[in-house]
Amino acid sequence: MKNINFIYILSLLFLFSSCFDDLGNYEYSDVSKLTIENIPERISVLGSVDNIVVNPVIKSSLEGEIKENDPNFKFTYKAEFKSGGYLGTTPWFVINEGGELNLNRLAEFPPNTYIVWFIVEDLRTGIETSVTFDLVVTSTTYEGWMVLCEEGSGKRVRMDMVSKISADRNVVATDILQPLGLPESQTAYGIGFYPNTYAFPGDQIIVMTGNGAYRLDNKTFETDESFNIFYLDFVVAPVDEVPVAYQPLKSMRANFIITDAGNAYVQNIGTSGAAFELPINTSSRGGAVEYKVAPYIGLQQGASGTTALFYDIDNKRFVGWSYGSNENARNILNPISDPVSGALFSFNTSKELVYMEGTRYSNGLVYSVLQDAQGKRSIYGINMSGSGFIQESYYENLNAPNFENAKHFAFHSQFPYMFYSDGKKVYIYNLGSNQAFELNVGLAASEEVTMLKFNLYQNPGLHLLNDQSDEFMNIQYELIVGSYDTSASHNNGGRMSVWKVDGINNSISKDFEYKGLGKIKDIVYRERR
């Protein structure tokens, strides 16, 4: 037993001796400890306008401050919704795709509150050090000018917005719908808008493109293919056609859509189903299409109208829709009969419709520009007040230079003025005096006009409730000129200029303008209650 203990003790002494000898054969060093400073707990930015800027200071207990291009470290910013949910296919998404230490990128994320992790990985040990901060992306879409644009030779559709952030701050946000899910689309047709005073369904906002028409979420502007109005609002989705014109009656008794196939549809609000059915350019509900209609809808503006004006391009005549108790009659269009006496013109015009626009002039005058076989143009005025189609005015032999070549038009709601442009020049035409004057809208030699418009507020009562200024309310009677600088080397050569109209001197004066937009096709002010 003693021999065994002695041998055991010798073995232990030999083992300890070996361990002490081995201490000289290894190199030991302290693990580098990192601290991260200069990151706030919360960063607030305006979506698609402001950049997210973060400049961390990283210090190593062994190496001092860690700089941007240190090959021993990897830098990652990854974010997720703070309230949960996925923005893409995974909860996390990286926001410094290039691995930068200092973050400086556009906040092109849907409005929300995000939690962001800033992670520093020591590539030698695999050890990660991280800190978090809240990123609050606020909306640019609450109120302001929605500007539907095209860019490039492919006419890619995008929406820019001049956002009203406060009474004294307006900012331009470009391409706001791309990160919010708008399907890739070509050719911009227009914006359909009606501010609904009720919480449900809320504001109606529709973007019409050559690839489809999409509703926008009235809070976030988010959209995707599931927001296609053919899937949401139609009993049977039309095939091989897309909406190019959308107009609601102010009373919201009905909504109208015209497609590029020349078909008109009505959604009779308040009736069972309240959906778009089959085309109404027919003489019997649900019957075969009998003719095509032009992409314009004439409505009384500023009052609760009960009629709508369309134009049959096959038979070259005006046709009308009327709201009534007969549901079948509300789902067809009817030819409009000429007055028995005192006719200014025939509703069967035998002319091509060039343009049509509803105004508040004379309590609801709809102006139409028509062209005969010889290329001569004239103006028809049809009054839509009183639930009828009353011939009110007819203008021919216009003393208006370049009118036969005009591509853009806008009619005033307070004065008997028509504005028109051939793309290079803008004119004002006084319908009362039969005189036209060229206007200076500040066009450069390389700039072309892409749109003329008056943005009549759809519900002025909302602005009165919001105590809006007279100056703001008067903007709806100011001429909006959309133009594009063709020499721009980027896709932001668009300019929106707004002009006060002098009702006495046949002139205009600039109120304000915004630059850096796409090629403007339509502009609508998003009103808020």
Side-chain angles (χ1 to χ4, degrees):
M1 188 68 177
K2 288 182 179 180
N3 290 334
I4 295 173
N5 289 339
F6 178 74
I7 293 171
Y8 176 71
I9 291 170
L10 288 175
S11 300
L12 288 176
L13 289 172
F14 177 77
L15 177 63
F16 281 122
S17 175
S18 299
C19 289
F20 281 115
D21 290 341
D22 284 346
L23 284 176
N25 297 329
Y26 293 91
E27 292 183 2
Y28 288 85
S29 62
D30 294 333
V31 176
S32 174
K33 295 181 180 179
L34 301 182
T35 59
I36 302 174
E37 303 172 354
N38 203 41
I39 295 183
E41 294 182 358
R42 180 187 180 94
I43 296 175
S44 297
V45 291
L46 193 59
S48 297
V49 174
D50 295 336
N51 276 23
I52 309 166
V53 179
V54 185
N55 295 299
V57 175
I58 306 170
K59 294 180 180 178
S60 165
S61 59
L62 299 179
E63 301 164 87
E65 185 173 348
I66 306 302
K67 299 294 186 178
E68 174 83 49
N69 298 315
D70 193 314
N72 295 320
F73 294 91
K74 177 183 177 181
F75 312 108
T76 304
Y77 293 84
K78 61 180 185 177
E80 70 172 352
F81 289 123
K82 192 169 185 179
S83 58
Y86 287 19
L87 180 61
T89 57
T90 61
W92 292 105
F93 56 97
V94 175
I95 61 175
N96 68 327
E97 294 84 352
E100 303 86 359
L101 166 61
N102 296 310
L103 184 66
N104 190 340
R105 66 159 296 169
L106 186 66
E108 48 188 353
F109 309 120
N112 213 311
T113 299
Y114 301 83
I115 183 170
V116 180
W117 291 77
F118 172 60
I119 303 167
V120 182
E121 180 186 358
D122 189 328
L123 297 175
R124 298 163 296 184
T125 64
I127 296 175
E128 293 183 345
T129 305
S130 64
V131 296
T132 64
F133 61 92
D134 286 348
L135 173 64
V136 181
V137 181
T138 56
S139 173
T140 58
T141 61
Y142 182 79
E143 181 177 356
W145 298 99
M146 301 180 290
V147 186
L148 189 64
C149 306
E150 294 175 347
E151 67 172 30
S153 58
K155 297 184 177 181
R156 175 182 172 271
V157 176
R158 78 186 213 197
M159 181 183 280
D160 298 344
M161 189 157 183
V162 180
S163 298
K164 183 177 181 180
I165 308 305
S166 64
D168 55 0
R169 186 189 180 198
N170 293 284
V171 298
V172 175
T174 60
D175 208 4
I176 62 172
L177 296 185
Q178 191 278 331
L180 297 177
L182 179 70
E184 193 71 17
S185 304
Q186 287 72 44
T187 307
Y189 288 120
I191 302 170
F193 175 69
Y194 187 82
N196 197 329
T197 56
Y198 301 99
F200 182 83
D203 292 347
Q204 308 295 299
I205 309 172
I206 297 174
V207 173
M208 290 170 283
T209 80
N211 295 78
Y214 304 93
R215 286 192 179 276
L216 305 185
D217 183 280
N218 56 45
K219 293 182 180 179
T220 66
F221 273 34
E222 290 178 289
T223 188
D224 56 35
E225 192 59 50
S226 68
F227 282 71
N228 190 313
I229 63 171
F230 278 179
Y231 306 149
L232 296 176
D233 300 315
F234 278 74
V235 175
V236 178
V239 179
D240 296 329
E241 52 188 297
V242 296
V244 296
Y246 168 91
Q247 283 278 330
L249 280 175
K250 184 178 183 299
S251 60
M252 287 296 284
R253 289 188 175 94
N255 296 324
F256 301 101
I257 280 175
I258 297 175
T259 69
D260 61 346
N263 290 323
Y265 298 86
V266 63
Q267 180 184 33
N268 288 296
I269 306 299
T271 61
S272 59
F276 291 99
E277 298 183 10
L278 296 174
I280 61 174
N281 39 314
T282 179
S283 57
S284 62
R285 182 179 184 182
V289 167
E290 299 173 14
Y291 50 85
K292 296 179 180 179
V293 296
Y296 300 99
I297 305 164
L299 300 176
Q300 179 186 12
Q301 298 294 320
S304 298
T306 58
T307 55
L309 186 65
F310 297 81
Y311 195 80
D312 172 356
I313 60 178
D314 290 333
N315 299 295
K316 296 181 174 55
R317 60 179 180 171
F318 288 102
V319 290
W321 176 93
S322 296
Y323 180 86
S325 58
N326 187 324
E327 189 170 342
N328 286 329
R330 291 199 299 268
N331 286 275
I332 62 172
L333 298 179
N334 289 299
I336 303 174
S337 300
D338 290 342
V340 175
S341 61
L344 298 175
F345 53 83
S346 174
F347 286 115
N348 293 280
T349 68
S350 300
K351 299 178 181 179
E352 303 287 344
L353 180 70
V354 177
Y355 180 76
M356 183 160 63
E357 177 185 352
T359 71
R360 293 180 188 159
Y361 193 78
S362 191
N363 198 33
L365 197 60
V366 173
Y367 289 103
S368 300
V369 177
L370 292 109
Q371 179 172 294
D372 64 19
Q374 288 72 45
K376 187 176 181 180
R377 293 180 175 179
S378 51
I379 301 173
Y380 291 55
I382 301 173
N383 199 304
M384 303 286 286
S385 62
S387 302
F389 305 94
I390 308 300
Q391 296 184 3
E392 181 168 316
S393 54
Y394 175 61
Y395 305 92
E396 59 180 348
N397 300 318
L398 275 63
N399 180 23
N402 287 332
F403 180 54
E404 273 66 34
N405 300 316
K407 298 181 288 185
H408 310 287
F409 307 87
F411 287 86
H412 206 276
S413 282
Q414 293 179 316
F415 311 120
Y417 288 161
M418 173 184 67
F419 296 83
Y420 65 95
S421 173
D422 60 357
K424 298 305 296 181
K425 297 180 179 180
V426 177
Y427 301 86
I428 181 174
Y429 174 76
N430 189 317
L431 286 85
S433 66
N434 192 21
Q435 290 180 295
F437 305 89
E438 184 180 339
L439 299 173
N440 181 6
V441 294
L443 295 177
S446 56
E447 201 170 4
E448 64 178 11
V449 174
T450 62
M451 187 211 71
L452 297 177
K453 185 173 184 177
F454 289 100
N455 180 83
L456 297 176
Y457 298 140
Q458 294 296 307
N459 198 334
L462 296 179
H463 297 288
L464 295 175
L465 291 173
N466 290 344
D467 194 27
Q468 296 283 8
S469 66
D470 290 342
E471 180 182 11
F472 175 84
M473 295 302 297
N474 287 334
I475 293 175
Q476 64 186 314
Y477 301 116
E478 297 180 3
L479 178 68
I480 305 173
V481 179
S483 58
Y484 193 80
D485 187 345
T486 59
S487 69
S489 58
H490 44 72
N491 291 315
N492 300 319
R495 178 169 66 101
M496 166 191 172
S497 56
V498 181
W499 303 80
K500 295 180 179 180
V501 178
D502 186 331
I504 299 175
N505 298 308
N506 302 299
S507 62
I508 60 174
S509 58
K510 185 187 291 187
D511 190 356
F512 57 88
E513 72 174 19
Y514 296 98
K515 298 180 179 180
L517 303 163
K519 190 173 184 179
I520 299 171
K521 305 298 289 187
D522 194 14
I523 295 177
V524 176
Y525 191 87
R526 187 188 187 187
E527 307 166 32
R528 300 300 298 192
R529 52 187 175 274

